[in-house]
Amino acid sequence: MTQFFWKSESCSDELNSALRIVRRFYGDRIAENSGETELEFRKAESNVVKITRNGSICRIEAGCLSGWLRGVSHAFAGVEADETAPFETLGIMLDCSRNKVFSLSYLKEMLVKLALMGYNMAMLYTEDTYTLPGEPFFGYMRGAFTMEELKEADAFAGQLGIELIGCIQTLGHLEQILAYGEYGKVRDTASVLMVDEPETYKLIEKMILFWKKALSSRRLHIGMDETHDLGRGRFLDHNGYESAFELFNRHLSRVNQLCEENGIRPIIWSDMYFRLGNKTQTYYDLNTNIPQEVRDRIPRNVQLCYWDYYNTDTNFYEKFIGLHRELGFDPVMGSGVWTWSRFWYDHVQTARTVVPCIQACRRTGLKELFFTMWGDNGGYCAYDSSLAGLEFASGLAFGHEADETAFFAARFRSVCGEDFELFTELGKIAVPKAGDAPEIRTEHLLWDDPLLGINHLSYRTAGQLDAYRKSLAGLLERLVTAELSPALRTVRSLIRFLIPRIGFQTALLDAYRNSDAAVLRRLADVEIPELTALLDEFSEEFRADWLRCAKPFGLEVIQERNAGVRTRLLELRRRLLESAPLPELDAQLRALDAGCHTPVRSYSGSVLR
């Protein structure tokens, strides 16, 4: 492995500071003032990254710190590149509100990797997971970030050329805090704040002041998305019906005023303007009607963020960017690296959406782009897996094609020490919807009740289980080595449980139908103990990986789900050994015989922990 070095006297203080951080994390790769191959840094246009080699000198040309650091990782990977990224902002958004609040140490590791990938912005999505002075229930038992942690993270990010931005909520998505009776006065509905209530704006000003003090960026994402029931709770009871457009604009005007008074430039998700303009509250309706008087009252200094992780057509993205510009705004684009409601990063879905999105951003000259990494339904994704998606997305942003697998693989191995093709292939642990067959999501089988078998029966009636088991077996073959990182050990243990669990549920139902006492006895005496042992193994690996990268708060939610499955397996064993009636299985057989495609059951919504 080549050891690179840089001459500190030839570099600015800013670059020296960043390179010294890189050296802390990649000390076997880079040194200061002495080594094998010199890194020579030259100034270029702001959107260019170019790396060339000449003997023992590796020249990196870039226009900014993030470009130089991306060039460093090119050198580590042994690739030459001549890239152009048209984006002034290339960032990510990390969900820290769905159970998993990342530890400061893990956050720093991720920031270094992001910098080496060429990112220059990171948002922390925190609905209530920060310690707001005078508000003891903010982040209570949720692993809230402290002011000191955020200041330290901000200083660290700044040294790497990364703008750290708070991403909060100032209208909806506040169900965790509004569950407390102390916030009854500012509650409209279970998740939405009360518009016009003076106490609402006192609370929001506290939020704004907190983030102003915590971070050096003067930008703050203030949320305001998906407030579908705005004005339909206590507000309706107290004031009667008012147009949601009117309420939204009036509230935004008040919050924007607070931002202006405190020197903050707000960003909001744009969906409510488009949703309220059509009867079905659909975000992506190209024929939505936003009245002119509503358009005129949108504050001009607010940045609209167009979020879209679903559309797969470049022309659609271009049209929707155009609709934002017709409102008078050049939007910030929020795409998605798919981590939510999954145990592993989904590369197929990410590629289907990110590729056309970036193409549209390039064609339309959009300047700001970031990639969300949500944690819906519990934040149980192995977030190390998302690094493959971030490497892929940054490469696309810098002009590379989606099929340049060797390029991505070399860089990913160098920056993250992992196999890019393995990481992207493991996303197949989930299966997308195809025709009438439902999407297979891993958690729907992991946390399916062994006696009720609702999701197992749904997938069985759709004829999906045999192919899915074979797919899992193929993935498991890729994970036979004992030398695996914590994230890979976790997904291996999950697959090791899922394969026999699927077979067990099928065998259980068939043996019960046939009154096969011998098979039922074997399931009780042999297979259930084996399943509980495999489930325990998964729970231990999952716990270790969680605690490696996040605060312990929120882990209890996943442990309770796993423990519930374990308890129900033992209950099933007990009833089999007692030869007790099993009306749950009778109900399954009736549904199966009727050809009933039972619905897949989710285990929590995105608004729940």
Side-chain angles (χ1 to χ4, degrees), residues 317-609:
Y317 285 98
E318 290 183 18
K319 290 176 182 177
F320 221 70
I321 290 168
L323 290 180
H324 284 78
R325 286 174 168 163
E326 287 176 17
L327 289 177
F329 296 87
D330 208 36
V332 181
M333 184 72 229
S335 185
V337 165
W338 277 69
T339 54
W340 54 100
S341 302
R342 282 155 171 76
F343 277 93
W344 196 264
Y345 155 70
D346 188 336
H347 184 68
V348 172
Q349 183 64 10
T350 298
R352 290 179 69 240
T353 55
V354 164
V355 170
C357 176
I358 293 178
Q359 287 174 345
C361 290
R362 281 178 165 270
R363 290 181 189 177
T364 57
L366 217 57
K367 296 300 182 185
E368 296 198 276
L369 168 67
F370 70 95
F371 304 96
T372 60
M373 294 185 289
W374 295 104
D376 298 31
N377 299 328
Y380 45 81
C381 184
Y383 270 82
D384 277 4
S385 69
S386 70
L387 292 167
L390 293 173
E391 172 59 41
F392 177 72
S394 67
L396 297 178
F398 276 91
H400 294 275
E401 299 295 330
D403 60 359
E404 293 183 45
T405 304
F407 173 82
F408 295 125
R411 284 188 41 81
F412 190 62
R413 173 67 70 184
S414 179
V415 173
C416 301
E418 297 283 10
D419 183 331
F420 178 78
E421 292 183 85
L422 174 61
F423 267 54
T424 55
E425 186 179 355
L426 283 170
K428 295 176 183 176
I429 194 173
V431 178
K433 180 177 174 61
D436 294 332
E439 171 192 25
I440 296 181
R441 284 179 24 194
T442 317
E443 74 274 16
H444 288 163
L445 289 170
L446 170 64
W447 293 319
D448 197 27
D449 186 283
L451 269 164
L452 303 182
I454 291 175
N455 292 333
H456 175 271
L457 196 64
S458 176
Y459 294 133
R460 177 170 174 168
T461 56
Q464 294 171 282
L465 289 179
D466 287 343
Y468 183 58
R469 285 187 73 192
K470 290 177 182 177
S471 175
L472 291 180
L475 294 177
L476 188 59
E477 288 180 6
R478 296 289 308 275
L479 297 167
V480 293
T481 175
E483 296 298 322
L484 297 176
S485 60
L488 289 173
R489 289 200 300 271
T490 300
V491 74
R492 180 180 64 180
S493 64
L494 175 58
I495 295 172
R496 277 167 50 84
F497 172 74
L498 283 175
I499 292 173
R501 167 76 194 273
I502 294 168
F504 170 84
Q505 294 290 157
T506 300
L508 173 67
L509 200 57
D510 291 346
Y512 186 75
R513 178 195 288 279
N514 297 324
S515 301
D516 192 330
V519 172
L520 292 173
R521 182 79 187 199
R522 177 175 57 79
L523 294 176
D525 284 342
V526 178
E527 294 200 21
I528 288 180
E530 289 176 350
L531 283 174
T532 56
L534 289 169
L535 181 58
D536 289 345
E537 177 187 313
F538 164 68
S539 296
E540 284 300 307
E541 295 288 6
F542 183 90
R543 174 186 181 274
D545 192 44
W546 181 293
L547 295 177
R548 181 183 61 85
C549 61
K551 299 183 181 185
F553 300 95
L555 174 60
E556 75 280 357
V557 174
I558 310 304
Q559 288 182 327
E560 287 164 9
R561 293 178 189 175
N562 290 345
V565 173
R566 191 182 200 282
T567 298
R568 292 293 286 169
L569 280 168
L570 295 178
E571 171 64 17
L572 172 58
R573 180 175 189 270
R574 183 174 181 176
R575 288 171 63 186
L576 287 171
L577 293 176
E578 292 171 346
S579 299
L582 294 171
E584 301 95 331
L585 299 189
D586 290 325
Q588 287 188 53
L589 289 173
R590 287 194 297 272
L592 194 61
D593 291 341
C596 176
H597 281 234
T598 57
V600 173
R601 176 180 288 180
S602 182
Y603 290 89
S604 68
S606 63
V607 299
L608 300 178
R609 295 182 65 192

Side-chain angles (χ1 to χ4, degrees), residues 260-280:
E260 284 189 311
E261 290 171 357
N262 289 285
I264 294 296
R265 291 176 289 135
I267 306 167
I268 66 167
W269 307 108
S270 72
D271 61 301
M272 288 310 296
Y273 283 115
F274 292 89
R275 291 181 191 276
L276 295 173
N278 62 81
K279 291 183 179 180
T280 59

Side-chain angles (χ1 to χ4, degrees), residues 16-65:
N16 277 321
S17 178
L19 291 172
R20 285 165 187 153
I21 290 177
V22 173
R23 186 186 62 189
R24 280 166 47 190
F25 289 82
Y26 296 85
D28 60 336
R29 233 80 71 75
I30 187 169
E32 187 171 352
N33 292 325
S34 64
E36 298 172 15
T37 301
E38 180 183 352
L39 295 175
E40 182 183 84
F41 297 92
R42 296 294 175 89
K43 187 73 173 176
E45 295 180 17
S46 59
N47 60 349
V48 167
V49 176
K50 184 177 182 180
I51 180 168
T52 54
R53 296 171 184 272
N54 184 9
S56 61
I57 294 179
C58 186
R59 177 176 293 175
I60 300 172
E61 300 174 64
C64 58
L65 183 56

Side-chain angles (χ1 to χ4, degrees), residues 207-223:
M207 299 176 187
I208 293 168
L209 289 172
F210 175 90
W211 288 96
K212 177 182 178 180
K213 185 176 180 181
L215 304 181
S216 55
S217 175
R218 295 302 85 180
R219 293 204 287 179
L220 178 64
H221 200 314
I222 58 174

